[in-house]
Amino acid sequence: MAWDAIILGAGAAGMMAAIEAGRRGRKVLVIDHARAAGEKIRISGGGRCNFTNLGIAPERFLSQNPRFALSALKRFTQWDFIARINAAGIAWHEKTLGQLFCDGPATQVVAMLLRDMERAGVTLWLDCAPGAIRQDDKGFALETPRGAQRARALVVATGGKSIPKIGATGLGYQIAGQFGLPVVETRPALVPLTFAEQELAWMRPLAGVSVAARVAAGRARFDEAVLFTHRGLSGPAILQASSYWREGDPILVDLAPGQDMAGALRAAKAAQGKTALRTVLGRWLPERLARHLEEAAGISGPMAELPGATLDRIAAQVNGWRLVPVGSEGYRTAEVTLGGVDTRALDGRTMEAKGVPGLFFIGEVVDVTGWLGGYNFQWAWSSGWAAGQAL
């Protein structure tokens, strides 16, 4: 059967591209091997879908060419998607740092996109794994379990490798390779970090404790929560830093950002010598963490008995905890995939492959990765919209 466009992937980017192309009168087929559309949308944001961010800016996207995303992000903005959410009657709220979440379940966003696709005349085939692809002078031929399909254009919106339990694969990168497009090396991003047994033994008793902290990886700095787990460190600040961290490099964690802990401890010793260290630390840290720092240092006496060198050592651990992760939890828990189809091979305005007319790559499969907090969904909406205008 012949189509104007076949879109591989019924995720955020694929559905957006299909809606836009369908509204422009194109005959569109969306194919996905999953049994349900928009699975990543459904599970995102704790089931509430952090669908965009008020602070979309190019410096909050990682890529070999961070400015590549500018065209799509400027042409279909966060305000444009918010307008669609409002028009659909989906209630939402702003959390921290400009992050927008649905008041109700994320399935509302999936339902909106499915409804818009249906109204635009888009055909959706789920539980349908795409097969061999070939190109000729008429476009693309695709083998499917429902028979061979043809289209003038092929859009790859298959996502990255993150969260394989919901069906993530490297298919998009394989397709890029088939057509000679370079792929920037991929790795898990927005992912918890893991540590050697020595560090892990110190952290394990704190599993479940969350603390407002500053985490630095290279030149990147993030002031958000850090969560101690049985496997290492997680929480927004760690997930953000993970996108910038590389094997062998340290991260620096400040457990009391903005507080001169050395000065505060010495002042407490002078003014409140009978007070326990954990009590003083508890003014800035969670009680379990304050107690753990005291116990791990082998301190039992009051502040008056602690030498200045001991106080400085504790302060350094609070304000400048230096750690070298051994790795991450990998694609299993990574929210996104860093790297992907090289943006040098794509037209930033249309998302079409420069050397392969009619072939488009959108969303996470492209080497554009946003910060935590709705940025990656906005890239999906914007890149999908851009491709939809060109189909």
Side-chain angles (χ1 to χ4, degrees):
M1 189 170 179
W3 307 85
D4 290 317
I6 295 175
I7 298 174
L8 304 182
M15 288 194 283
M16 179 62 93
I19 291 164
E20 293 307 305
R23 287 176 174 176
R24 296 176 61 246
R26 303 302 186 259
K27 187 178 180 182
V28 181
L29 170 65
V30 178
I31 294 177
D32 200 304
H33 69 287
R35 294 183 178 180
E39 278 296 272
K40 207 163 189 180
I41 299 172
R42 182 184 63 80
I43 67 172
S44 67
R48 299 287 183 179
C49 187
N50 179 192
F51 56 85
T52 193
N53 194 290
L54 296 178
I56 298 297
E59 63 269 19
R60 297 180 178 182
F61 292 85
L62 290 78
S63 173
Q64 295 284 342
N65 176 17
R67 298 192 68 79
F68 173 84
L70 264 177
S71 176
L73 292 171
K74 283 185 173 181
R75 290 164 62 220
F76 187 85
T77 70
Q78 64 269 44
W79 309 109
D80 293 317
F81 193 75
I82 291 168
R84 296 197 181 191
I85 290 286
N86 289 339
I90 299 174
W92 53 272
H93 60 278
E94 179 184 353
K95 290 183 78 171
T96 59
L97 304 174
Q99 301 169 14
L100 303 189
F101 288 77
C102 298
D103 288 355
T107 49
Q108 296 173 100
V109 178
V110 179
M112 176 190 77
L113 296 168
L114 289 172
R115 184 169 59 249
D116 287 350
M117 281 204 301
E118 183 178 7
R119 290 173 178 171
V122 174
T123 299
L124 173 62
W125 290 353
L126 296 171
D127 200 13
C128 182
I133 301 168
R134 58 183 174 82
Q135 185 186 28
D136 55 31
D137 57 358
K138 295 181 181 179
F140 297 87
L142 173 69
E143 297 297 328
T144 82
R146 301 192 186 190
Q149 306 297 316
R150 296 195 59 88
R152 176 181 52 79
L154 181 69
V155 182
V156 181
T158 51
K161 300 177 182 177
S162 57
I163 321 182
K165 70 179 181 181
I166 62 170
T169 72
L171 176 62
Y173 313 127
Q174 297 169 23
I175 296 172
Q178 176 184 338
F179 288 96
L181 276 66
V183 175
V184 176
E185 182 180 5
T186 60
R187 59 184 289 122
L190 301 182
V191 62
L193 297 175
T194 58
F195 298 86
E197 182 56 35
Q198 181 178 349
E199 288 86 2
L200 201 54
W202 191 92
M203 298 176 198
R204 238 183 235 117
L206 295 169
V209 171
S210 179
V211 57
R214 175 175 298 149
V215 178
R219 288 179 290 180
R221 305 281 189 278
F222 296 99
D223 285 19
E224 293 189 68
V226 167
L227 174 67
F228 290 87
T229 76
H230 290 289
R231 296 180 296 273
L233 294 177
S234 187
I238 293 294
L239 298 187
Q240 296 277 41
S242 73
S243 295
Y244 293 84
W245 173 77
R246 293 297 177 269
E247 285 77 2
D249 291 344
I251 62 170
L252 197 65
V253 181
D254 185 346
L255 297 168
Q259 176 62 45
D260 173 14
M261 194 56 65
L265 291 181
R266 287 177 177 270
K269 175 181 178 179
Q272 300 164 299
K274 294 182 180 180
T275 306
L277 174 64
R278 64 179 178 273
T279 302
V280 176
L281 291 174
R283 297 171 188 167
W284 300 281
L285 304 176
E287 190 270 337
R288 274 179 63 193
L289 176 56
R291 185 179 294 275
H292 184 65
L293 284 164
E294 181 186 67
E295 292 174 353
I299 294 170
S300 57
M303 293 290 294
E305 297 178 6
L306 303 182
T310 298
L311 296 180
D312 290 343
R313 189 174 71 251
I314 295 294
Q317 187 167 8
V318 172
N319 284 143
W321 188 22
R322 185 180 184 276
L323 293 155
V324 179
V326 296
S328 75
E329 291 189 5
Y331 291 114
R332 180 181 64 84
T333 58
E335 296 203 11
V336 291
T337 302
L338 193 67
V341 178
D342 197 324
T343 58
R344 292 175 300 176
L346 304 177
D347 183 318
R349 185 169 179 82
T350 64
M351 309 306 295
E352 185 174 17
K354 293 177 180 178
V356 189
L359 181 63
F360 298 74
F361 289 84
I362 58 176
E364 189 181 345
V365 73
V366 179
D367 176 34
V368 175
T369 305
W371 283 9
L372 184 74
Y375 295 92
N376 289 292
F377 273 129
Q378 186 58 47
W379 169 243
W381 314 134
S382 297
S383 60
W385 181 93
Q389 308 311 304
L391 292 174

